[in-house]
Amino acid sequence: MKKTLALLIFTSALFSAQEFTKQDTLKGSNTKFRNFWDVKKYEISVEPKFVDQSVSGTNKITFEILKDVKNPVFQIDLQQPMNYKIIDSDTQSYSSKREGDFIFITTKKNYKKGETYSFTIQFFGNPIIAKKAPWDGGWVFKKDDQGNPWMSVAQEGIGASVWLPSKDLWSDEPDDGMIMKIITAKDLVGVGNGRLIAQKAEKDKIVYTWEVKNPINLYSIVPNVGKYVNFKETYAGEKGKLDLDYWVLDYNLEKAKKQFQQVKPMMKAFEHWFGPYPFYEDSYKLIETPYLGMEHQSGVGYGNNYENGYLGRDLSRTGVGLNWDFIIVHESGHEWFANNITAKDKADMWIHESFTNYSETLFVEDFMGKTAAEKYVVGIRGNIRNDEPIIGHYGVAKSGSSDMYYKGANMIHTIRQVINNDEKFREILRGLNKDFYHQTVTTKQVEDYISKKSGINFSTVFDQYLRTTKIPILEYSQAGNMLKYRYTNIVKDLKLPIRINGNQEINPTENWQTVKLASSDPVKFDENYYIFYSQQK
């Protein structure tokens, strides 16, 4: 039996290894075509056209050379069927060719570390159209309820290179931000990330210029075009006055003014738990989108129909989730985890989703109290599949299981129980956002940080919940005031202490242990730990 199981595991691993291609590696790795240059800034001009569902424009990519290199080849990502033309470059002697979704620019020049150069690339064509945004990637060309064109793109999974020639790698954000000019018809409005710094009529069109001063993850760079109107307010935050900027379809203005009153309580909760909003210079925005929503940095996509819950549903099935707008809370939580702290590799996407999913619980705690928050986080366990590990495949732009949401949140909630000090837990969350401010990180960095700052080695806990599909089972039997217990279904040497009967701590292992209880009453377990309990006869 063991031999058969080993063979199945080997065969499965071999199949998994073979499913990735050279194109996957080019997309997901810091290849030799990428590792010698660092993007400093994107300067984008984009014009989406509703009539023929096309997108065109330019991108000036300014970059710094990281090491001395001779006659290098640059990899620029641009997914088919989009087309390109290099229209300007600091390097005069070069040639380019296309292989699949990649442009390779071969240069004849010696580059020195610290030098800065640029390529300006024109792009044009009919991009991939999303069939079910935001879950599948691509552009969305839709009409609003009054028949007006409404256009945007959802690209977290597929990548911004679905339309934009760029270095489409999570670990390389433009350090000096970006400028994006959105060209629209005169009766429409173009809304992007950051702040609107210019609006200019050119013949029968209008050019809206948006600026982001901070580093920005590439999939957050999103132009939105529609019949938008704008209203504003300010929030007195930890770093001073924060501009809150809302762009909604004109006929939804009154709905938005009512629903978006939830933004300030959300901001209050998140600044308390995570620290100051990370992009004061670029403002906070909600932009109505023709799909459910997305965490676009300083321009959060909103499409929840101005309803509480998740399209009117409570994902926890407890009733708690119907008291607040899921998209406002969840997607805004990503401003801290995904946009401020970004995973270097898509395999570590749990850093984005687990913490942000848990941000919902923290918001509820601030908004409705701790009892409601615990009810909510336990309730969302009903969505956990335990189908595959949360951590995905490295170097091929492949994330892990969708359990990174609900299971990941419950892992964090379990870690919070072990720390057993909410102020220390809060300091760790705030510390992550301060010490990794505007950085890209690895799973190891996050794991090590939590263990170090808590003074507790959580390495086996992370292994258990991130790298396996096994949920610990506490087997137990009780005779009078004596409790016998052990863990099963665990990684080797799992160190996950739990409290029973309110405040008595036990440290289960794979071996049976016995402990004396204060009374012979049936033992009470704390459901805030994400483990299963199995009473033995």
Side-chain angles (χ1 to χ4, degrees):
M1 183 66 181
K2 289 183 178 179
K3 288 183 178 179
T4 303
L5 180 59
L7 180 61
L8 286 171
I9 292 173
F10 174 78
T11 304
S12 175
L14 184 64
F15 178 81
S16 178
Q18 289 176 337
E19 69 181 2
F20 300 112
T21 65
K22 176 184 176 182
Q23 295 267 312
D24 294 321
T25 301
L26 287 170
K27 184 176 182 180
S29 296
N30 193 21
T31 65
K32 65 180 181 181
F33 310 115
R34 287 168 155 174
N35 64 10
F36 63 93
W37 58 288
D38 175 58
V39 176
K40 305 305 290 183
K41 191 169 188 177
Y42 289 115
E43 295 174 71
I44 302 163
S45 173
V46 56
E47 181 178 10
K49 294 181 180 177
F50 187 83
V51 174
D52 61 358
Q53 298 191 344
S54 68
V55 177
S56 62
T58 60
N59 187 16
K60 180 181 180 181
I61 306 171
T62 301
F63 56 90
E64 181 181 340
I65 300 298
L66 298 177
K67 59 184 179 182
D68 293 352
V69 61
K70 182 179 180 180
N71 301 334
V73 178
F74 293 79
Q75 175 186 325
I76 304 293
D77 308 304
L78 182 64
Q79 296 177 40
Q80 298 193 47
M82 290 297 291
N83 301 302
Y84 80 97
K85 181 180 180 181
I86 302 173
I87 59 175
D88 192 25
S89 173
D90 296 331
T91 300
Q92 299 303 314
S93 182
Y94 66 87
S95 61
S96 70
K97 66 176 181 178
R98 184 166 198 168
E99 293 183 10
D101 293 333
F102 311 100
I103 302 163
F104 293 98
I105 303 173
T106 301
T107 63
K108 293 183 179 180
K109 179 180 174 60
N110 293 340
Y111 291 84
K112 299 294 184 182
K113 180 180 178 180
E115 294 178 338
T116 301
Y117 297 92
S118 68
F119 291 113
T120 301
I121 304 176
Q122 183 181 35
F123 57 92
F124 49 94
N126 298 95
I128 293 171
I129 304 297
K131 295 178 181 178
K132 193 178 180 182
W135 296 278
D136 70 328
W139 270 82
V140 178
F141 293 90
K142 185 179 177 180
K143 287 188 176 181
D144 67 22
D145 290 346
Q146 296 185 353
N148 302 301
W150 194 13
M151 297 170 280
S152 185
V153 60
Q155 56 194 18
E156 180 183 22
I158 198 170
S161 57
V162 72
W163 64 281
L164 183 68
S166 54
K167 188 178 182 181
D168 200 352
L169 189 67
W170 281 17
S171 60
D172 193 358
E173 299 180 348
D175 304 288
D176 299 330
M178 69 141 196
I179 289 178
M180 179 163 56
K181 295 183 177 182
I182 305 173
I183 303 169
T184 76
K186 278 195 172 181
D187 60 341
L188 298 175
V189 177
V191 186
N193 311 82
R195 294 183 183 274
L196 182 63
I197 61 171
Q199 178 179 331
K200 181 181 179 182
E202 292 185 358
K203 298 182 180 179
D204 59 341
K205 299 175 182 178
I206 301 180
V207 180
Y208 297 86
T209 304
W210 296 83
E211 180 182 28
V212 171
K213 292 185 176 180
N214 292 294
I216 181 169
N217 65 57
L218 201 64
Y219 69 77
S220 279
I221 299 175
V222 171
N224 304 272
V225 175
K227 204 75 176 290
Y228 287 114
V229 292
N230 171 239
F231 68 101
K232 305 173 184 290
E233 56 183 348
T234 60
Y235 175 74
E238 289 194 15
K239 289 178 67 175
K241 186 182 78 170
L242 173 62
D243 293 321
L244 307 177
D245 206 9
Y246 309 119
W247 295 82
V248 300
L249 296 180
D250 52 1
Y251 55 84
N252 284 329
L253 180 60
E254 294 308 313
K255 288 182 183 179
K257 286 182 176 179
K258 180 180 179 181
Q259 192 73 358
F260 291 178
Q261 290 176 17
Q262 297 186 34
V263 168
K264 287 186 177 181
M266 173 274 297
M267 194 64 69
K268 171 181 172 290
F270 288 168
E271 287 210 328
H272 170 78
W273 284 104
F274 302 147
Y277 175 72
F279 308 106
Y280 271 71
E281 301 86 352
D282 296 324
S283 81
Y284 169 86
K285 277 200 304 304
L286 285 177
I287 305 169
E288 189 171 359
T289 49
Y291 48 81
L292 181 61
M294 188 60 70
E295 67 257 28
H296 303 143
Q297 184 175 314
S298 66
V300 174
Y302 176 84
N304 201 38
N305 299 333
Y306 302 99
E307 297 179 289
N308 282 351
Y310 177 97
L311 293 175
R313 297 185 290 115
D314 176 12
L315 294 177
S316 75
R317 302 171 184 86
T318 65
V320 174
L322 296 178
N323 292 280
W324 43 278
D325 190 311
F326 176 91
I327 293 299
I328 291 176
V329 172
H330 178 89
E331 303 302 348
S332 298
H334 276 303
E335 292 282 48
W336 285 263
F337 291 97
N339 298 343
N340 184 38
I341 304 172
T342 306
K344 286 184 181 292
D345 193 295
K346 195 174 179 180
D348 290 336
M349 190 173 164
W350 77 273
I351 297 169
H352 301 188
E353 299 300 350
S354 297
F355 285 100
T356 301
N357 193 277
Y358 194 60
S359 76
E360 301 160 23
T361 297
L362 296 174
F363 167 76
V364 170
E365 184 167 334
D366 197 76
F367 187 59
M368 299 177 65
K370 195 167 187 177
T371 299
E374 292 177 346
K375 185 178 180 182
Y376 180 81
V377 73
V378 172
I380 61 174
R381 292 176 189 169
N383 302 311
I384 297 172
R385 299 167 62 185
N386 282 317
D387 54 347
E388 58 179 317
I390 287 175
I391 291 181
H393 296 270
Y394 289 100
V396 290
K398 176 70 168 63
S399 60
S401 169
S402 62
D403 280 349
M404 69 179 78
Y405 292 83
Y406 313 106
K407 181 180 175 182
N410 273 279
M411 175 190 72
I412 294 169
H413 191 59
T414 298
I415 287 172
R416 178 182 179 183
Q417 309 315 306
V418 177
I419 293 173
N420 197 26
N421 182 327
D422 280 354
E423 186 54 35
K424 178 179 282 190
F425 178 70
R426 185 172 80 100
E427 288 174 0
I428 291 171
L429 295 177
R430 289 174 67 94
L432 282 166
N433 279 282
K434 180 181 179 181
D435 294 346
F436 296 121
Y437 184 72
H438 292 176
Q439 294 181 35
T440 61
V441 301
T442 65
T443 284
K444 186 176 189 308
Q445 286 177 286
V446 174
E447 289 183 5
D448 289 351
Y449 188 93
I450 293 173
S451 291
K452 179 180 178 181
K453 295 298 182 179
S454 66
I456 301 169
N457 184 352
F458 283 109
S459 59
T460 57
V461 174
F462 287 117
D463 285 344
Q464 180 80 42
Y465 292 99
L466 295 179
R467 298 176 177 89
T468 81
T469 59
K470 299 188 294 186
I471 304 304
I473 299 172
L474 184 78
E475 295 183 343
Y476 72 96
S477 63
Q478 183 176 353
N481 66 344
M482 300 303 293
L483 181 71
K484 186 178 179 182
Y485 60 91
R486 72 171 180 182
Y487 272 144
T488 61
N489 205 41
I490 59 172
V491 299
K492 188 177 184 338
D493 298 327
L494 173 67
K495 291 180 175 59
L496 177 55
I498 64 171
R499 290 184 303 281
I500 58 175
N501 291 337
N503 58 10
Q504 184 174 359
E505 184 176 287
I506 60 174
N507 290 273
T509 67
E510 289 182 294
N511 300 316
W512 284 106
Q513 300 178 62
T514 302
V515 67
K516 186 176 182 179
L517 305 175
S519 76
S520 58
D521 293 339
V523 62
K524 294 181 179 178
F525 297 107
D526 187 345
E527 66 178 355
N528 287 296
Y529 297 91
Y530 182 40
I531 63 176
F532 298 144
Y533 301 97
S534 176
Q535 186 170 10
Q536 306 296 296
K537 294 182 179 179

